[in-house]
Amino acid sequence: MPDTLTPYTPRQQWGLRTTDAVLDPVALRQMATGESEETARAELTDAQHLISAPTPGQARGEARVFQALITAYGRHRPILTGGPFGIRSLTPRTDELVVRIAPSQVDRWIDALAYRQGGTGVAGLRWAGRRDGIILTLPGTKMLLAEISESDWRAALGRRTADQSSLMPHWIPQLPGEAEHTATEDAELAGACDHLCATLRRIRLVDALTRGSGHVHLFTTRHHGDLHLIEACEATPTVLPLWTSRSLPLALWPAGPIPAPGPMDPRTAVLDLLTEIEPAHAPSSAADHRAARALCHLTGLSTAPVLVQAAEHVLDVATHVLADPAHASVYASGGWAGSCRTYPQGTVHGTDPCLPPGAEKVTDLPEDALQRLGRHFSSRSSDTSRADLVNAGQEELVHLLDWALAAATRPTSRLDWNPNEADGTLQHRQQLPDRDGTLTLTASTTGVYRVSLEALGLSDLADEDDTMEWEREAAPSQSAAVLLAEHTAIEAAVCLPFQREHRKQRLLLPSTVSAAVEPTIRSVIAGADHVLGFFTLASVLGRLHDRVGLTQGATDGHWRTDPHSDTPRDYPATLTALISDWFELPSPHHGEAANTAAVDSPTYLRHLAAHRAALDPFVTRYLAAADSLTGARTVEERHVAGFAALRTTDLSALACTEVRPVREGLLRLIKTMPQDPAHLTAWYERHLDQV
């Protein structure tokens, strides 16, 4: 996360695009479900929605099944499981979910769903054979595992242990304890049931999120009593729903129930927020257009008549949006403040900000009205084109709508903010629920908010006063800063297992690596967030011999301490250490066993596995050979050693130790690598378009 303050600027919409009309509905549905074009087209023939909304009973059952899969699969590579959670595709219907899983995953699904007295699995789940697959049932729920024969299903059940085979056929009555476990599970998932179900029905949307780390990683967590679904596919947890984090068109958003108390009146919401956080700026009871004036302050705007008039229009549109079940997702995952947090850099996973529901309606004003609004923000309106003034007016209306929705969807479980009388800063502090440490939120009068974790007792934070800052940004007002900080706290409370220290990119909480099982290059890659590939390494090899002097061998220590420095700190001394530092891979500390181990040794592989990073097999072979030369050597000497190791290696056999597909173009690149370092840059550039 950013550790430098980015000045607040309104989001840039780059023009309102009605993506729903541009993309074919069949293609949109396929993006979410993975269905064939024929299946998607057939399902949409008589459908009211792009993705069918389930009945309440169907949603509860799907949520329970999905939670069991999330628990059982954990963090996994879909390339190894045939799809996220083993799902190749699915077909959502109102009263049924058809799921097509990879054949290799049948056993794993049985293990995930089978109910055990200890509480895992899905209590009350029963199965029956059907001509088109295996039907799984819960009260009010049907899920068809398509294209699985009953004989294959029974064979898979037979391969499980007695405890794991407790996935019962339909004629077995409910077992003791199942009813109680069902009630407990329903109550546990109640707040996130619709979100879990909607995510399962759009499971192939996570495909685009796995291109970085290669992993699917979803989990649930509680924050201030509310259950949230967290997505950490890119090794950074976010609570934003998939459809908003990826700025998807509204047609792919799930419809859902409006919160039980009913939609919050946005006028009341912005007034209440301003009265609570910044009472000195709350409009007096005698003022006209009080809510509109409050919204202008919340969004950092003046109360010029043209802006107040615009805010009134925005509040009218927000009222309709909040009452529409088709837009119930604005309430999900901590409210619409999550989308406002995407300023000013774009969405968490995409490049464009997510347009709020109602964006088209709120900007549907006469052109002269939009120009008048846009002119208010133009320093040289006389030199600005009409089109630019219209765009500026549209952007401000969407900007106002975003914050009206954020204020109205603020979670009801509020934090206690304590004011600092000296500077007016607001602060909230709370103990972390599952470890030592404190979550601290601050919101200044200038709109800067900061969310950090303190007193964590982690050795790698010694140089940072034992404090890890999760997010610090600027908001348009102190009230807006409070909304953003409260939303950020949901993710900050669970961020530690994903957080790396800045100097050596080591995980603050390293993963547990079994001492009984010897790691392999393949197993380390399978668990890594970041894999350094040979093509990426090749991009810098040509620059090293001009920039790097003598380097040491691995046995001399990857990182060494400079005894002549006034403040002794270790520095990268080997080619591996320099490359790791360059590409922000985790490095061992001076004195650790991995610091004097070759990169292909079990010791170094354990270090990489503990910090969820990896080198591909070709990088490993090159660096292991380059660092095998002891003593001070030039980069040229080390390159010759790495070159020789790759030239004498069966590259096709080495490719088999890679989890991910290896393209033939990469093997051609390696085979043509020059021995002379002076030719490396030209060689790399010549192959840019081949890999």
mmCIF file of all heavy atoms in Angstrom, residues 506-512 610-612:
data_model
loop_
_atom_site.group_PDB
_atom_site.id
_atom_site.type_symbol
_atom_site.label_atom_id
_atom_site.label_comp_id
_atom_site.label_asym_id
_atom_site.label_seq_id
_atom_site.Cartn_x
_atom_site.Cartn_y
_atom_site.Cartn_z
ATOM 1 N N ARG A 506 10.460 -8.969 2.883
ATOM 2 C CA ARG A 506 10.160 -10.177 3.634
ATOM 3 C C ARG A 506 8.770 -10.059 4.238
ATOM 4 O O ARG A 506 8.348 -8.979 4.664
ATOM 5 C CB ARG A 506 11.189 -10.372 4.752
ATOM 6 C CG ARG A 506 12.601 -10.615 4.262
ATOM 7 C CD ARG A 506 13.625 -10.380 5.354
ATOM 8 N NE ARG A 506 13.448 -11.246 6.500
ATOM 9 C CZ ARG A 506 14.075 -12.404 6.688
ATOM 10 N NH1 ARG A 506 14.933 -12.830 5.770
ATOM 11 N NH2 ARG A 506 13.874 -13.131 7.755
ATOM 12 N N LEU A 507 8.036 -11.173 4.297
ATOM 13 C CA LEU A 507 6.743 -11.163 4.958
ATOM 14 C C LEU A 507 6.922 -10.876 6.441
ATOM 15 O O LEU A 507 7.823 -11.434 7.089
ATOM 16 C CB LEU A 507 6.037 -12.512 4.785
ATOM 17 C CG LEU A 507 5.448 -12.823 3.402
ATOM 18 C CD1 LEU A 507 4.965 -14.268 3.364
ATOM 19 C CD2 LEU A 507 4.314 -11.878 3.065
ATOM 20 N N LEU A 508 6.083 -10.003 6.988
ATOM 21 C CA LEU A 508 6.147 -9.738 8.422
ATOM 22 C C LEU A 508 5.774 -10.982 9.221
ATOM 23 O O LEU A 508 6.289 -11.199 10.319
ATOM 24 C CB LEU A 508 5.202 -8.585 8.780
ATOM 25 C CG LEU A 508 5.568 -7.218 8.198
ATOM 26 C CD1 LEU A 508 4.546 -6.177 8.608
ATOM 27 C CD2 LEU A 508 6.963 -6.788 8.643
ATOM 28 N N LEU A 509 4.884 -11.785 8.674
ATOM 29 C CA LEU A 509 4.513 -13.064 9.295
ATOM 30 C C LEU A 509 4.816 -14.173 8.283
ATOM 31 O O LEU A 509 3.953 -14.537 7.478
ATOM 32 C CB LEU A 509 3.026 -13.079 9.667
ATOM 33 C CG LEU A 509 2.565 -12.058 10.690
ATOM 34 C CD1 LEU A 509 1.059 -12.152 10.894
ATOM 35 C CD2 LEU A 509 3.284 -12.266 12.026
ATOM 36 N N PRO A 510 6.038 -14.702 8.276
ATOM 37 C CA PRO A 510 6.400 -15.724 7.281
ATOM 38 C C PRO A 510 5.477 -16.935 7.357
ATOM 39 O O PRO A 510 4.948 -17.287 8.423
ATOM 40 C CB PRO A 510 7.835 -16.100 7.670
ATOM 41 C CG PRO A 510 8.349 -14.923 8.432
ATOM 42 C CD PRO A 510 7.161 -14.376 9.167
ATOM 43 N N SER A 511 5.278 -17.566 6.217
ATOM 44 C CA SER A 511 4.459 -18.780 6.160
ATOM 45 C C SER A 511 5.203 -19.930 6.832
ATOM 46 O O SER A 511 6.434 -19.958 6.867
ATOM 47 C CB SER A 511 4.158 -19.146 4.706
ATOM 48 O OG SER A 511 3.474 -18.104 4.054
ATOM 49 N N THR A 512 4.448 -20.866 7.355
ATOM 50 C CA THR A 512 5.044 -22.048 7.976
ATOM 51 C C THR A 512 5.447 -23.046 6.900
ATOM 52 O O THR A 512 4.643 -23.389 6.025
ATOM 53 C CB THR A 512 4.046 -22.709 8.937
ATOM 54 O OG1 THR A 512 3.665 -21.758 9.939
ATOM 55 C CG2 THR A 512 4.661 -23.926 9.601
ATOM 56 N N ALA A 610 8.930 -19.662 2.693
ATOM 57 C CA ALA A 610 8.437 -18.972 3.887
ATOM 58 C C ALA A 610 7.958 -17.566 3.567
ATOM 59 O O ALA A 610 7.059 -17.038 4.227
ATOM 60 C CB ALA A 610 9.535 -18.921 4.949
ATOM 61 N N HIS A 611 8.538 -16.963 2.533
ATOM 62 C CA HIS A 611 8.165 -15.596 2.167
ATOM 63 C C HIS A 611 7.380 -15.555 0.853
ATOM 64 O O HIS A 611 7.250 -14.491 0.241
ATOM 65 C CB HIS A 611 9.417 -14.723 2.089
ATOM 66 C CG HIS A 611 10.082 -14.554 3.420
ATOM 67 N ND1 HIS A 611 9.617 -13.698 4.391
ATOM 68 C CD2 HIS A 611 11.158 -15.174 3.965
ATOM 69 C CE1 HIS A 611 10.376 -13.770 5.459
ATOM 70 N NE2 HIS A 611 11.320 -14.663 5.239
ATOM 71 N N ARG A 612 6.856 -16.699 0.451
ATOM 72 C CA ARG A 612 5.966 -16.837 -0.705
ATOM 73 C C ARG A 612 6.515 -16.156 -1.958
ATOM 74 O O ARG A 612 5.871 -15.321 -2.580
ATOM 75 C CB ARG A 612 4.559 -16.328 -0.382
ATOM 76 C CG ARG A 612 3.807 -17.170 0.637
ATOM 77 C CD ARG A 612 2.310 -16.998 0.515
ATOM 78 N NE ARG A 612 1.893 -15.624 0.675
ATOM 79 C CZ ARG A 612 1.574 -15.053 1.827
ATOM 80 N NH1 ARG A 612 1.637 -15.768 2.947
ATOM 81 N NH2 ARG A 612 1.198 -13.792 1.893
#
